Amino acid sequence: MSDEQLVLAAVDGHVATLTLNRPKALNAISPALIETLIAHLDRFEADEQIRALVLTGSDRAFAAGADIKAMSTASASEMLLGRSIERWTRLAACRKPIIAAVSGYAFGGGCELAMMCDIIIASESAQFSQPEVNLGVMPGAGGTQRLTRAIGPQRAMEMVLTGNPITAQEALQYGLVNRIFPIERYLAEAQALAATIAEKAPIAVMLAKEAIRAASETTLREGLALELRNFYLLFDTEDQKEGMRAFIEKRKPIFKGR
Ligand code: CAA
């Protein structure tokens, strides 16, 4: 399979869906797969027509983690100098909203990739796990940090120290996923949610995402200052004028992303 096919891209209106496509390896995240994903993200982030993204895998596996075969013989200095995991953070740095549509295994780096997205929609058969301790390592792409913020230290401790998976129902109860749907519907529901977000004013969505991210990355004082700055900044956009005018004129706004 050529590298381009490792992640498939499809566009419907203002929504781009990226599908991890290494089915034989349960979408294990290889360096080539990450680079292909980054190329798509760069392209869609620069494309004004795209206002929201969906990241998905197959019904059987969202992704079964970092590619174990690609790193099994690596030394610490090779891992460090290769900065392979740092490349993954391109996903977390995307300014447009991303919904993860997760089914089957979201293990190790797969769970970490899903947590870099903004919203997680799961199928009833999704399973989330940080099983790295079974391999003699630990999570390295946010599994100790994002998971702890998402579900709290006790639950994160249990998941990371035992490596045991949790079900979609448990993930919902813990607040790791937003919603669960039957396997036939989870992807369409994630795309519908992305389409709903894509109807909103794009710069407002982008700055709101940035502010929500700040809530877990900065202090309350810094987060509130960023929120206020972003709120004021939006009054310089055409979409703010259009949105408020449309409300007053009792019609639907037409947002242009400017
Ligand atoms: N890396 C490379 N190959 C993988 C893989 C991975 N993470 N996960 C699965 N595969 C491959 C298997 O080697 C197998 O390939 P072959 O057919 O060539 O043997 C194929 O995918 C199918 O897998 P299984 O036969 O194991 O399928 P299964 O249904 O019996 O089990 C599973 C599914 C429980 C997910 C099991 O594959 C598994 O435990 N995978 C590894 C999960 C894991 O440990 N992930 C963490 C990786 S480390 C990490 O992610 C570090 C980080 O934080 C950045």
Side-chain angles (χ1 to χ4, degrees):
M1 182 189 294
S2 72
D3 283 1
E4 296 87 72
Q5 290 171 309
L6 291 171
V7 181
L8 306 176
V11 172
D12 184 8
H14 293 303
V15 175
T17 299
L18 296 173
T19 305
L20 306 178
N21 184 40
R22 283 188 81 198
K24 287 190 186 137
L26 302 183
N27 291 331
I29 305 155
S30 61
L33 182 142
I34 280 294
E35 294 309 319
T36 310
L37 180 62
I38 290 171
H40 285 304
L41 289 172
D42 287 345
R43 185 161 58 92
F44 287 132
E45 194 147 60
D47 183 345
E48 275 190 18
Q49 285 308 305
I50 301 304
R51 296 182 177 180
L53 293 95
V54 172
L55 178 65
T56 194
S58 67
D59 289 352
R60 184 171 172 220
F62 177 72
D67 190 327
I68 298 167
K69 291 167 190 168
M71 62 186 171
S72 63
T73 61
S75 66
S77 48
E78 279 165 353
M79 292 298 285
L80 192 72
L81 296 173
R83 296 175 65 85
S84 59
I85 302 298
E86 282 90 328
R87 298 289 291 154
W88 298 29
T89 54
R90 173 67 184 87
L91 181 64
C94 184
R95 301 206 294 175
K96 294 184 178 178
I98 309 186
I99 298 176
V102 176
S103 183
Y105 305 112
F107 278 15
C111 185
E112 291 169 312
L113 270 196
M115 290 190 294
M116 286 180 198
C117 299
D118 305 306
I119 289 172
I120 304 180
I121 300 298
S123 82
E124 285 163 347
S125 61
Q127 292 181 56
F128 297 82
S129 165
Q130 294 292 159
E132 289 87 349
V133 288
N134 294 326
L135 301 167
V137 288
M138 59 177 275
T144 64
Q145 303 304 302
R146 291 195 180 91
L147 186 66
T148 304
R149 281 169 167 77
I151 69 176
Q154 283 79 11
R155 285 163 171 162
M157 224 25 122
E158 185 176 338
M159 279 183 72
V160 173
L161 302 191
T162 65
N164 289 341
I166 57 168
T167 62
Q169 273 302 337
E170 285 167 322
L172 182 66
Q173 190 200 325
Y174 291 2
L176 181 60
V177 310
N178 294 64
R179 269 178 247 279
I180 301 176
F181 292 99
I183 196 151
E184 312 78 51
R185 276 180 41 214
Y186 75 99
L187 178 56
E189 295 284 354
Q191 288 166 324
L193 193 57
T196 300
I197 295 170
E199 286 174 6
K200 313 301 172 191
I203 303 177
V205 167
M206 183 180 83
L207 295 187
K209 167 173 169 164
E210 182 190 42
I212 293 169
R213 288 285 173 106
S216 51
E217 292 168 1
T218 62
T219 62
L220 179 62
R221 185 192 294 264
E222 287 167 322
L224 288 171
L226 181 107
E227 179 190 75
L228 202 53
R229 189 204 64 187
N230 286 2
F231 176 71
Y232 289 152
L233 205 54
L234 287 165
F235 285 78
D236 256 0
T237 63
E238 288 177 27
D239 284 348
Q240 174 269 328
K241 300 289 173 291
E242 165 65 7
M244 293 195 178
R245 202 167 43 227
F247 174 80
I248 293 163
E249 293 170 2
K250 301 186 188 301
R251 62 174 173 82
K252 221 173 163 240
I254 301 164
F255 291 125
K256 296 187 178 144
R258 272 173 247 142

